[in-house]
Amino acid sequence: MKELLHNISQCTLCKAHLPLGPRPVATAHTNSKIVIIGQAPGTKVHQSGISWDDQSGKRLRQWLNVTDEQFYNTENFAIIPMGFCYPGKAKTGDLPPRPECAPQWHDTLLDKMPNVELIILIGAYAQKYYLKDGKNLTESVGDYKEYLPAYFPIPHPSPTNRFWRSKNPWFEELVVPELRKKVGTILNL
């Protein structure tokens, strides 16, 4: 795993498309129990090199009901974005994750984590790639029970998604408690 993570950290596969250059961000351990597959690092994470080291990460940890220490313990959580580097700015938010990363690295990473009990799919890009059922984000999140025990789809916790959350209050009322329960059971919290 150490060698694989080193190889990922040196990846320049899509260098020509990255406005800030390559700085792949991913964490994993052979004993990881939960995998978080999100979108791609934002500028703050690109600068720090620490996954979910931003406002989105704070909200995600609240949804999971875990401390920073629990979240950044790689034996608890592996963090594997769809795109490992900051993809650049769009009109609202960031550009989509680069399409090269997931096919290049995900299967190899997941194969090295035999103890994974749950994969949390954050946002439409991860859900489309893994669920392959044609549902939109709202449908996938609403139907989360259909994907258990392997996957748990959730929206992106970004502040730019506040409108989705305000239109779909059922997510925080009904789904987040189930997510917390599942995470707590797996991590013995």
Side-chain angles (χ1 to χ4, degrees):
M1 179 65 83
K2 195 173 184 179
E3 181 181 347
L4 176 57
L5 290 171
H6 173 76
N7 291 342
I8 290 169
S9 75
Q10 302 301 306
C11 181
T12 59
L13 190 61
C14 58
K15 180 180 180 177
H17 305 285
L18 302 172
L20 301 180
R23 184 172 191 189
V25 179
T27 60
H29 191 283
T30 54
N31 294 331
S32 297
K33 296 176 190 77
I34 299 172
V35 177
I36 294 174
I37 300 180
Q39 189 164 307
T43 54
K44 186 165 191 232
V45 171
H46 177 85
Q47 291 167 355
S48 72
I50 300 169
S51 299
W52 296 97
D53 180 29
D54 54 15
Q55 289 300 95
S56 298
K58 286 180 186 176
R59 181 172 304 278
L60 177 59
R61 289 186 287 283
Q62 288 172 348
W63 287 350
L64 299 172
N65 198 32
V66 295
T67 64
D68 289 358
E69 292 76 22
Q70 291 163 332
F71 184 78
Y72 289 111
N73 177 343
T74 56
E75 290 192 33
N76 289 336
F77 294 97
I79 302 171
I80 305 169
M82 289 301 295
F84 292 173
C85 297
Y86 172 66
K89 204 77 176 145
K91 273 188 176 181
T92 57
D94 295 334
L95 288 171
R98 293 294 315 159
E100 296 88 348
C101 298
Q104 178 71 26
W105 300 110
H106 280 209
D107 286 346
T108 308
L109 276 162
L110 292 170
D111 286 347
K112 292 196 176 292
M113 294 184 280
N115 300 316
V116 170
E117 295 181 45
L118 181 67
I119 297 175
I120 300 173
L121 300 172
I122 300 177
Y125 296 108
Q127 291 164 22
K128 183 178 178 183
Y129 187 84
Y130 279 91
L131 302 179
K132 297 179 182 11
D133 61 7
K135 292 183 182 180
N136 67 32
L137 180 130
T138 303
E139 293 167 331
S140 295
V141 172
D143 294 339
Y144 74 93
K145 289 179 183 176
E146 290 180 20
Y147 308 108
L148 291 171
Y151 300 112
F152 202 122
I154 65 173
H156 198 285
S158 168
T160 60
N161 267 356
R162 66 188 175 280
F163 298 115
W164 185 92
R165 290 193 307 273
S166 69
K167 288 181 186 175
N168 299 282
W170 53 266
F171 170 70
E172 293 200 34
E173 293 166 9
L174 304 172
V175 180
V176 168
E178 293 300 316
L179 176 64
R180 288 177 173 171
K181 191 165 132 185
K182 186 82 174 149
V183 168
T185 299
I186 292 169
L187 301 181
N188 297 312
L189 301 176

